[in-house]
DNA sequence: TCAATTTGTTAGATTAACATAACTTTATAT
DNA sequence: ATATAAAGTTATGTTAATCTAACAAATTGA
């Protein structure tokens, strides 16, 4: 049985070494920063997690999760995302409120609880941020999050979430007629600077690449 | 902000000094026993809680909650009971499974969460064990509780809750075919030792007085 | 009433998770 | 190539929550 703190280290390591970041190892300082602790503290924990065979770590080297460690990390992420889905869908939390509470709920120890919760939510595959939810075996549809920038001309996609959640950006998004689950058709794209023409509910708009990079779609 | 441990002490003190137990103070050893710690450990915590003005405590004396401490304890109990209701009603947990998981969930810190959960459950007044759920202001309907022992022969009553909530007792209760809201008919009672014959869903069982004393009914 | 039992307290250790300060190793930049 | 910066480590200390062992106070029962 892992402590809350140990679980948080595994989760942080998983995120720091995912496909999205592109890296397969993380540094001690980097890890300490993401967990808001001092490097010395992280160093202590790395030794402990190595002892438990959850990470590969050598003095002055980079750290990565072992197969076992990764498995455990995925289970925590599974719980986190299921709770986020619960908060969003059943308790009327907004997308920006779910994370903080899910950070606490993910540490509740009860396999029955998480299985029943998953069933109650009707086996969702994606959380409110559009991240896919691993199943009980840790298998995860790697629908790696895609931004609007990656959608080919002529195709239509659905808005899942935004990367930058600032009020100013959200207002801009709404001005273009977009909301959660909006269908977006990519009409044209300039090779020069990535500026795109998109169509939402029959309404055409021109948006910059920076804008498109901030929209996650499926 | 209280630690999980501090919250558990307040909760234990509340239960040890409730109307049901009849007492208004608790001893150090008694408290230690219910929390599964050594008296020395409880003693340290009592000093700390006194410092925080959550309990009244004097060296070699008995302990009781202050108004502030009681208020906090009730909020924890409110959370516990709402989570139990959620597990029972929404996640298909059985009667005897809810407590253990609720012990963990009750420590989640988020007033929004508990308000939304209460709304989602449609403002329940009673948890799956029949204990009333305090509202956001800490107000609680104190229903006069009657035990099965007090029901006259020939009468039928409804099971509301149990006095001893241990898993082993709850399993025994279920074995007799009893569940929340079960109708119980008292068929016979021996004057000698109080042993009763009862009927639940047409099924007859013989139960001891001790057993009957543990069942609250209306 | 006073010796025995129960109850409560103190002192001193331990463990997990953090910190600071001083140090060592590795990376980098001209 | 090597001085400097960045990254990582070690030693030491703190706090919260636990323990054991020894001691002190309060209760009780003959």
């Amino acid at each position: 049985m892992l402590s809350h703190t140990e679980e948080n280290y595994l989760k942080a390591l998983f995120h720091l070494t995912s496909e999205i970041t592109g890296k397969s190892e993380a540094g001690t300082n980097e890890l300490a920063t993401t967990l808001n602790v001092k490097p010395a503290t992280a160093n202590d924990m790395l030794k402990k997690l190595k002892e438990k065979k959850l990470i590969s770590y050598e003095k002055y080297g980079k750290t990565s999760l072992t197969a076992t460690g990764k498995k455990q990390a995925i289970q925590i992420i599974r719980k986190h995302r299921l709770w986020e889905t619960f908060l969003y869908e059943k308790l009327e939390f907004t997308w920006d409120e779910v994370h903080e509470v899910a950070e606490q709920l993910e540490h509740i120890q009860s396999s029955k609880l998480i299985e029943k919760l998953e069933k109650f939510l009707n086996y969702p595959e994606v959380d409110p941020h559009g991240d896919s939810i691993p199943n009980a075996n840790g298998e995860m549809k790697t629908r790696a999050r895609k931004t609007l920038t990656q959608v080919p001309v002529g195709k239509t996609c659905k808005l899942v979430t935004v990367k930058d959640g600032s009020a100013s950006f959200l207002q801009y998004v709404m001005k273009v007629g977009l909301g959660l689950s909006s269908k977006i058709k990519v009409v044209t794209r300039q090779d020069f600077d990535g500026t795109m023409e998109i169509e939402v509910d029959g309404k055409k708009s021109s948006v910059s690449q920076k804008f498109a990079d901030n929209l996650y779609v499926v």
Side-chain angles (χ1 to χ4, degrees), chain A:
Chain A
M1 181 82 65
L2 300 174
S3 69
H4 288 200
T5 310
E6 289 169 329
E7 290 195 343
N8 284 335
Y9 275 80
L10 293 185
K11 189 162 58 104
L13 278 168
F14 183 87
H15 287 310
L16 287 173
T17 61
S18 63
E19 304 89 38
I20 297 166
T21 65
K23 295 184 299 175
S24 68
E25 306 174 302
T28 306
N29 287 5
E30 190 186 3
L31 183 60
T33 305
T34 64
L35 289 164
N36 283 307
V37 298
K38 300 298 163 192
T41 305
N43 189 257
D44 283 350
M45 184 57 90
L46 289 179
K47 288 176 187 166
K48 191 169 161 193
L49 293 175
K50 186 194 173 173
E51 200 56 40
K52 293 193 174 187
K53 306 225 160 98
L54 296 167
I55 62 170
S56 311
Y57 162 75
E58 294 304 331
K59 219 201 251 203
Y60 294 110
K62 300 283 183 186
T63 302
S64 61
L65 291 166
T66 60
T68 321
K70 191 168 179 178
K71 213 173 275 180
Q72 307 249 353
I74 288 174
Q75 286 310 308
I76 301 156
I77 286 158
R78 166 174 156 79
K79 292 200 272 180
H80 183 96
R81 293 183 181 166
L82 282 170
W83 279 117
E84 281 195 342
T85 306
F86 170 70
L87 295 173
Y88 184 79
E89 289 189 357
K90 304 293 184 185
L91 299 196
E92 307 177 294
F93 273 61
T94 60
W95 74 273
D96 59 320
E97 293 169 330
V98 295
H99 185 75
E100 186 188 341
V101 180
E103 287 282 302
Q104 296 181 62
L105 288 164
E106 71 190 4
H107 299 297
I108 304 290
Q109 303 288 168
S110 165
S111 46
K112 172 153 193 175
L113 173 60
I114 211 64
E115 279 158 34
K116 290 290 193 179
L117 181 66
E118 184 181 29
K119 184 180 178 190
F120 181 62
L121 297 171
N122 213 10
Y123 302 94
E125 295 197 338
V126 186
D127 77 9
H129 298 310
D131 292 310
S132 62
I133 300 173
N135 68 18
N137 296 319
E139 293 147 6
M140 193 181 342
K141 296 229 171 90
T142 45
R143 67 167 91 220
R145 280 205 296 199
K146 191 167 63 170
T147 66
L148 182 56
T149 315
Q150 295 160 256
V151 177
V153 171
K155 291 278 182 187
T156 296
C157 59
K158 197 179 81 178
L159 180 62
V160 170
T161 184
V162 297
K163 200 187 279 185
D164 168 4
S166 69
S168 64
F169 180 68
L170 289 174
Q171 274 158 7
Y172 185 9
V173 168
M174 288 189 296
K175 209 166 179 180
V176 181
L178 282 167
L180 205 59
S181 294
S182 287
K183 291 237 165 55
I184 309 170
K185 182 174 181 184
V186 177
V187 183
T188 65
R189 176 183 285 109
Q190 297 303 126
D191 282 341
F192 169 59
D193 62 1
T195 297
M196 304 164 67
E197 203 179 355
I198 60 171
E199 194 179 312
V200 180
D201 286 334
K203 186 183 151 202
K204 283 193 181 132
S205 307
S206 172
V207 300
S208 69
Q209 173 155 15
K210 188 175 176 191
F211 181 90
D213 274 338
N214 271 290
L215 300 181
Y216 285 118
V217 298
V218 287

